[in-house]
Amino acid sequence: MAAGEIDHESPTPVYRQIAALLIADIERGALEVNRKIPSESDLVKRFGVARDTARNAVRYLREQGYVFTVPQRGTYVAEQRPDETAPDE
């Protein structure tokens, strides 16, 4: 499997694979803070998946704190949370 491709034979759900690829883009700076991520339609085209799969990937990213959605505007990269394992000062 080439980088950026989905492995439909993997035990990892496709939406999680898409989310992992987008997280990698965020972490390496290809998707910048406060910039839009690709739309669901773009993800459908890029990965050849159903819209529900793309929607689940975006929902997962939102639940994990990587993105936030502004109604009628789009979904944007969130500022990354500080390491939650760091001791409180």
Side-chain angles (χ1 to χ4, degrees), residues 15 40 43-44 49-62:
Y15 81 93
E40 289 177 7
L43 295 175
V44 166
V49 296
R51 183 172 290 276
D52 281 346
T53 302
R55 185 172 293 129
N56 286 337
V58 173
R59 180 181 307 126
Y60 178 79
L61 290 172
R62 193 169 38 251

Side-chain angles (χ1 to χ4, degrees), residues 4-81:
E5 290 186 14
I6 301 302
D7 180 1
H8 293 278
E9 302 300 318
S10 172
T12 303
V14 172
Y15 81 93
R16 291 284 298 268
Q17 293 180 54
I18 293 170
L21 292 170
L22 293 172
I23 289 168
D25 285 348
I26 291 168
E27 289 177 346
R28 69 180 161 77
L31 292 173
E32 298 176 6
V33 172
N34 293 322
R35 298 288 186 170
K36 279 186 174 183
I37 67 168
S39 67
E40 289 177 7
S41 296
D42 291 338
L43 295 175
V44 166
K45 291 175 191 170
R46 177 177 171 188
F47 296 109
V49 296
R51 183 172 290 276
D52 281 346
T53 302
R55 185 172 293 129
N56 286 337
V58 173
R59 180 181 307 126
Y60 178 79
L61 290 172
R62 193 169 38 251
E63 290 169 353
Q64 297 303 309
Y66 284 96
V67 301
F68 63 95
T69 300
V70 178
Q72 306 299 315
R73 297 277 185 207
T75 301
Y76 299 81
V77 176
E79 289 196 40
Q80 297 309 295
R81 300 173 292 189

